[in-house]
Amino acid sequence: MDWDKLQYFLFVARHGTLARAGSALHVDATTVSRRVSALETALGQTLFERAPTGFVLTAAGRALVPHAEAMAAAAARIHSREGESGLSGQLRVSVSEGFGNSFIAPRLAGFVAAHPELEIDLVASSGFLDPSRREADMAVLLARPRKGPLITRKLSDYSLGLYAPAARPDWQATAAAGPLSRANIPVIGYMPDILYAPELDYLGEIEPGLRAGVRSSSILAQRRMIAGGAGVGVLPCFLAADDPALVRVRPDQLIARAFWLALHRDVAPQPRIRAFIDWLDAEVRDSRGLLVPG
């Protein structure tokens, strides 16, 4: 019997709703619903009655619970043996350049200290490895993937704003007062023909038709260009907030985006995967004001 589907059944049986089961499994309710429906199809039985208050076990569901509990106990024994000597093995995480370098990397020391036997590959670049092809254990993406044997859920919202060099108060005043397209200020941004994600095409949300005249495929390079006085541009707030060389102009104008967590469903039960997701969730929760100012 497929433990991947069975554990979703067991968590719904224990928690009573898709939302609570998904929270315990670190996935969204839609994923839980699909796994339970797939198990019912595979068995040819209805395991739950869908009631207004939640999911209620049918007779077939009640008969399946002891078998699921036995498999869960066996899995727990395996995991406990792995945990006796601490987490080990390789953990490869693919993230965007800005989030990986400016958010995860500076906070990683605590996780590394807690799990010294774990090999951690943080692939922070302009582009992503594909968890569905097992290129990485998990990825933090700019959009929710729609295909592949993946478990996905939103990790966090985040905001972007318009930034100018702190050394150019004249640019700050001009950018705040009127259209950039009419101002004699260089605009910094991505190269539109090699955007690695459509979510990065956001200059039009600052002003319709706005184009960058100074471009880079790297958000870290764009940050340095703006801080160094080459122009004004859009940056994630978590990337720019602590840089004294940058000033956010038009503080009421924010661009909303989200990070999505995706991992291959085969690796989801592994202790090292669970440990990293728990750690990352805590870091994101503690940094809510940085990711989404105001």
Side-chain angles (χ1 to χ4, degrees), residues 56-68:
V56 180
L57 287 164
T58 63
R62 290 193 297 272
L64 184 59
V65 166
H67 302 288

Side-chain angles (χ1 to χ4, degrees), residues 15-286:
H15 294 278
T17 70
L18 297 176
R20 289 198 293 267
S23 178
L25 285 161
H26 302 288
V27 301
D28 58 32
T30 303
T31 299
V32 180
S33 179
R34 285 200 304 267
R35 295 291 186 273
V36 170
S37 295
L39 179 62
E40 290 181 320
T41 300
L43 296 176
Q45 295 177 312
T46 300
L47 302 175
F48 293 101
E49 296 290 345
R50 278 67 167 174
T53 56
F55 277 44
V56 180
L57 287 164
T58 63
R62 290 193 297 272
L64 184 59
V65 166
H67 302 288
E69 293 281 9
M71 292 184 73
R77 287 194 295 272
I78 294 171
H79 293 165
S80 67
R81 285 198 296 271
E82 290 179 354
E84 287 172 2
S85 58
L87 299 181
S88 61
Q90 184 187 57
L91 175 66
R92 177 166 292 182
V93 183
S94 176
V95 295
S96 64
E97 181 191 34
F99 190 64
N101 283 286
S102 297
F103 188 89
I104 293 181
R107 294 167 170 80
L108 198 57
F111 186 79
V112 171
H115 308 291
E117 300 299 317
L118 193 60
E119 296 179 5
I120 302 169
D121 295 337
L122 183 64
V123 186
S125 61
S126 298
F128 298 100
L129 301 181
D130 189 350
S132 68
R133 296 203 297 262
R134 307 301 287 271
E135 294 173 348
D137 294 305
M138 70 182 75
V140 179
L141 306 169
L142 301 181
R144 184 176 189 173
R146 299 297 180 183
K147 295 186 291 185
L150 298 173
I151 294 173
T152 64
R153 68 170 169 86
K154 184 187 285 189
L155 176 66
S156 175
D157 295 311
Y158 71 98
S159 299
L160 304 97
L162 181 65
Y163 286 84
R168 294 298 304 262
D170 55 329
W171 284 1
Q172 296 167 32
T174 301
L180 283 171
S181 56
R182 299 179 186 175
N184 189 27
I185 302 175
V187 176
I188 292 169
Y190 284 102
M191 292 172 276
D193 56 328
I194 57 171
L195 279 176
Y196 68 90
E199 290 74 24
L200 301 177
D201 186 16
Y202 40 58
L203 284 181
E205 296 179 47
I206 294 294
E207 291 176 15
L210 185 65
R211 297 179 68 254
V214 183
R215 299 179 287 267
S216 173
S217 61
S218 165
I219 192 65
L220 299 182
Q222 292 177 39
R223 172 186 173 177
R224 289 183 176 273
M225 290 176 185
I226 299 169
V232 302
V234 173
L235 295 170
C237 296
F238 67 82
L239 183 66
D242 296 330
D243 192 336
L246 295 168
V247 172
R248 182 153 66 94
V249 296
R250 304 184 186 180
D252 295 332
Q253 188 176 28
L254 286 172
I255 297 171
R257 291 291 188 270
F259 289 121
W260 291 83
L261 183 67
L263 61 156
H264 197 287
R265 65 188 183 194
D266 290 347
V267 307
Q270 295 176 6
R272 64 180 181 274
I273 303 296
R274 294 285 187 190
F276 187 84
I277 292 175
D278 287 344
W279 170 81
L280 184 57
D281 278 339
E283 293 295 332
V284 165
R285 190 166 51 248
D286 291 344

